[in-house]
Amino acid sequence: MKKSIVFLALVMTLSLCLAGCGSTENEENLKAALTKAMPLIARFVGGRVSLCDKDGRRVIACDPEGNILRLNDASEEARRAIVNKEPIFGASAVDPSAQVVYIPLSGDCCLAINNELTAKKSIRLLEEVKNLRQTRYSFEEIVGESPVMRQTIEYARKIAMSRSTVLLYGETGTGKEVFAQAIHNGSARKGKPFVALNCAALPASLIESQLFGHVDGAFTGAKKGGAAGYFEQADGGTIFLDEISEMSIHLQSKLLRVLQEREVTRIGGDVPIKISVRIIASTNKDLMELVKKNRFREDLYYRLNVIQLNIPSLRERKEDIAALVHHFVHKHNLHTGKFVEDVDPVALELLE
C-alpha cells in the first residue's frame, strides 16, 4: 500500500506540475491549479489532501467529499520534505491506521496526501474477512478418506439438517471446531452468525458477560449503554461452546435456563430477550463421569447430549496421514511462498 500511494502521488503531482508549466510560469498559478485538482485527488486516493507552506502549515485542504477546508495546523514532516526536497512518508495525525505522503513542489510549498478513508475501508474489509474465516470450513474441506472418517462426515451431514443441540466428543486437536463450522454451514442456518466461545480460555465472570451481555452500569467497567452477549449476537445462527466441561456450575445453571426457555437476560437487567440459536458444544472429557463427581449438571448434560458425534483421533485413522501431509504441504506452500512438491517416502512412513 505504501509504495502504491507514493507512486500514485508522484505521478499525479508530476502531471500537474507539467501541465502548470505549460500554461503558467509562476508558482501562484501552480498552487491555484493544484487547489482546483484537490477534490479529484482526494476522491481518488480516499483521504484528505493538503497544500502546506514552507513552515509546514496546512494553508488549504480538501476532504474526499470535495469540501475545501481552511486549516492552520502544522506538520514537521511537511516542513522537512520542503527543506530536504524529497518526499517523506509518515503516519497520519488524523487516523492512526492511515498514512501520509508529503511531496515538495518547490522551496515554499508541498502537497500532503492522506489515505484515511482507504485505510478505514481496508480495516472494515479485514474485519469482514475475519468474520467469514470464523465459518470457513465445510464438509468438503475436511481431509480424510478412511472408513471411520467417511462414516463420521456422513453422520455429521445428517446432523447438520437437524435443529437439535449437538455434543461433539473428541480429543484435543481432532478438529471439533472444524466439524462445528461444517455442521453450521451444512444447515439451514448457513449464512447466519456463527459465534464461538472457548469456555476454558476465560474466567467465569468474563464468560458470563460474554455469553449473556450486560446492561449499562451492571458492573465496574461495563460498557456504556450495555452490550449484547454472544447468544444475542448468534441469534438466527449457531453458538459453539468449546470445552463445555470447564464451565462453572453457576454458569451451567444459567445456560440450562437458556436451553429451556430460549431466552437470555443480560447481567444487571430484568428483561428476557427471545433468541433462536442452535447450540453446538464440545468436550474432550467424559461428561457423565463429571456428572457422577458433581462437577457437571446432569440435567444440562441431557439437554446438550441430544445428538452426540464422536470425532476420531488420528491414531484411529492412520491411513489419512498421507492425505493430511500433502494437504498441509500445499497449504504452507501458499503461505510461505515455497514450492515443495512431494514428501520423501521414508519421512512419510515415519509419520505413519
Side-chain angles (χ1 to χ4, degrees):
M1 182 183 288
K2 292 181 179 181
K3 291 182 180 179
S4 61
I5 293 172
V6 174
F7 177 75
L8 174 63
L10 286 171
V11 170
M12 295 188 70
T13 304
L14 179 59
S15 299
L16 287 168
C17 289
L18 290 174
C21 290
S23 58
T24 62
E25 295 181 359
N26 58 63
E27 193 171 299
E28 289 304 317
N29 287 335
L30 175 59
K31 290 180 182 179
L34 284 171
T35 301
K36 289 181 180 179
M38 276 186 179
L40 175 63
I41 300 174
R43 285 196 298 272
F44 195 78
V45 300
R48 190 173 64 176
V49 177
S50 307
L51 190 63
C52 305
D53 64 15
K54 61 182 179 180
D55 296 319
R57 289 194 302 270
R58 295 176 173 86
V59 294
I60 188 170
C62 180
D63 64 21
E65 286 74 36
N67 301 311
I68 299 297
L69 311 172
R70 298 290 176 179
L71 306 173
N72 196 35
D73 57 323
S75 166
E76 176 60 25
E77 289 85 355
R79 190 192 66 79
R80 285 195 291 111
I82 295 172
V83 171
N84 297 333
K85 297 180 181 179
E86 62 180 23
I88 291 179
F89 189 89
S92 169
V94 178
D95 186 339
S97 65
Q99 294 91 29
V100 186
V101 60
Y102 302 90
I103 303 174
L105 304 176
S106 69
D108 292 321
C109 66
C110 85
L111 199 64
I113 302 176
N114 186 316
N115 73 330
E116 56 185 304
L117 280 189
T118 300
K120 288 177 181 177
K121 287 179 180 178
S122 297
I123 291 174
R124 284 199 300 270
L125 179 60
L126 287 173
E127 288 300 318
E128 290 173 7
V129 170
K130 182 181 177 181
N131 291 334
L132 288 173
R133 283 172 58 93
Q134 290 179 344
T135 54
R136 65 188 183 274
Y137 294 113
S138 64
F139 289 116
E140 288 72 22
E141 292 168 288
I142 297 177
V143 180
E145 291 298 327
S146 61
V148 65
M149 200 60 176
R150 286 203 303 268
Q151 184 179 359
T152 303
I153 293 172
E154 186 60 32
Y155 183 44
R157 287 183 186 274
K158 295 177 181 178
I159 290 174
M161 300 311 297
S162 168
R163 299 174 61 183
S164 300
T165 302
V166 180
L167 182 59
L168 304 178
Y169 271 103
E171 297 179 27
T172 300
T174 52
K176 294 187 289 293
E177 184 166 357
V178 172
F179 270 90
Q181 291 185 21
I183 290 171
H184 171 77
N185 283 330
S187 73
R189 295 176 183 267
K190 178 182 180 180
K192 300 294 184 179
F194 177 90
V195 180
L197 176 68
N198 188 326
C199 300
L202 300 171
S205 58
L206 187 53
I207 290 178
E208 185 173 7
S209 64
Q210 291 286 326
L211 277 179
F212 306 109
H214 63 265
V215 298
D216 190 6
F219 50 84
T220 303
K223 186 176 180 181
K224 187 175 182 180
Y230 282 4
F231 276 111
E232 288 181 65
Q233 295 174 33
D235 190 31
T238 303
I239 187 166
F240 174 56
L241 301 177
D242 194 15
E243 304 300 348
I244 191 71
S245 59
E246 305 305 313
M247 181 176 282
S248 69
I249 293 292
H250 166 68
L251 287 182
Q252 289 177 30
S253 300
K254 299 195 72 171
L255 177 59
L256 179 64
R257 177 172 176 77
V258 173
L259 286 166
Q260 291 173 334
E261 306 298 332
R262 294 293 168 178
E263 61 184 28
V264 295
T265 302
R266 293 187 182 184
I267 298 174
D270 54 11
V271 179
I273 302 168
K274 288 290 183 182
I275 55 168
S276 173
V277 175
R278 184 182 194 179
I279 295 177
I280 301 178
S282 77
T283 181
N284 61 1
K285 296 181 179 178
D286 187 336
L287 289 188
M288 184 50 71
E289 284 298 316
L290 296 181
V291 169
K292 293 176 182 178
K293 296 176 182 178
N294 296 318
R295 291 170 53 193
F296 202 87
R297 291 183 62 113
E298 185 176 10
D299 46 6
L300 178 59
Y301 169 76
Y302 286 112
R303 283 280 183 177
L304 292 173
N305 196 30
V306 178
I307 300 178
Q308 181 176 315
L309 178 65
N310 297 306
I311 302 174
S313 65
L314 196 57
R315 78 178 70 87
E316 298 174 74
R317 56 186 189 108
K318 292 182 180 180
E319 54 266 61
D320 288 333
I321 290 178
L324 285 165
V325 167
H326 288 97
H327 166 77
F328 287 117
V329 166
H330 175 70
K331 175 182 175 180
H332 291 293
N333 273 345
L334 296 176
H335 288 176
T336 61
K338 303 296 182 182
F339 300 95
V340 178
E341 295 181 354
D342 207 347
V343 179
D344 189 296
V346 176
L348 194 58
E349 184 178 350
L350 287 171
L351 288 170
E352 291 176 338

